């Protein structure tokens, strides 16, 4: 009986300790400084990580490869008239990665456009 009571108290204390320690472990967000001025644009020769240079497009800005016109596909980096025609010919796509799986575009071209495209399905 005494052992069970001690174990219950110890478990409760441990649980409370974990719960109270959690906010100090978690990352907190700091409010952005309010300013009327815009932040200066980074210089072209700045040493930024490649991922920071090319942020993924917002979901509404993504080009649907299942419904985009030839001109819209031509505007993508590394995609010309031949690749846009091949993309249109291979429709519909279940996922944007099928462009490489079906050998419509090479991996290098896909790496340039993957953050700018989406393959929407008909509902």
């Amino acid at each position: 009986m005494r052992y069970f009571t001690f174990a219950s108290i110890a478990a409760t204390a441990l649980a409370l300790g974990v719960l109270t320690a959690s906010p100090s472990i978690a990352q907190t967000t700091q409010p952005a400084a309010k300013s009327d001025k815009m932040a200066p644009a980074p210089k072209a020769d700045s040493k930024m990580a490649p991922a920071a240079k090319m942020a993924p497009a917002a979901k509404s800005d993504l080009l649907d490869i299942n419904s985009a016109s030839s001109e819209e596909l031509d505007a993508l980096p590394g995609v010309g008239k031949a690749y846009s025609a091949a993309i249109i010919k291979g429709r519909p796509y279940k996922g944007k990665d099928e462009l490489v799986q079906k050998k419509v575009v090479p991996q290098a071209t896909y790496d340039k456009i993957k953050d700018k495209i989406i393959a929407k399905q008909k509902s």
Side-chain angles (χ1 to χ4, degrees), residues 82-98:
Y83 284 143
S84 65
I87 292 170
I88 292 171
K89 184 179 178 183
R91 288 178 180 168
Y93 299 99
K94 292 178 184 173
K96 62 184 181 181
D97 58 333
E98 284 189 1

Side-chain angles (χ1 to χ4, degrees), residues 73-122:
L73 293 169
D74 285 345
L76 292 170
V79 177
K81 292 184 186 246
Y83 284 143
S84 65
I87 292 170
I88 292 171
K89 184 179 178 183
R91 288 178 180 168
Y93 299 99
K94 292 178 184 173
K96 62 184 181 181
D97 58 333
E98 284 189 1
L99 292 175
V100 176
Q101 291 173 356
K102 292 183 175 182
K103 299 181 180 177
V104 176
V105 295
Q107 183 68 45
T109 302
Y110 176 76
D111 290 339
K112 292 178 188 176
I113 65 173
K114 67 182 176 183
D115 293 330
K116 299 176 183 189
I117 61 172
I118 192 169
K120 293 182 183 176
Q121 304 300 310
K122 292 184 180 180

Side-chain angles (χ1 to χ4, degrees), residues 6-7 9 14 20 22-23 56 61-62 72 95 103 107:
F6 178 73
I9 293 172
L14 181 63
T20 57
S22 296
D61 294 341
L62 296 176
E72 291 172 323
K103 299 181 180 177
Q107 183 68 45

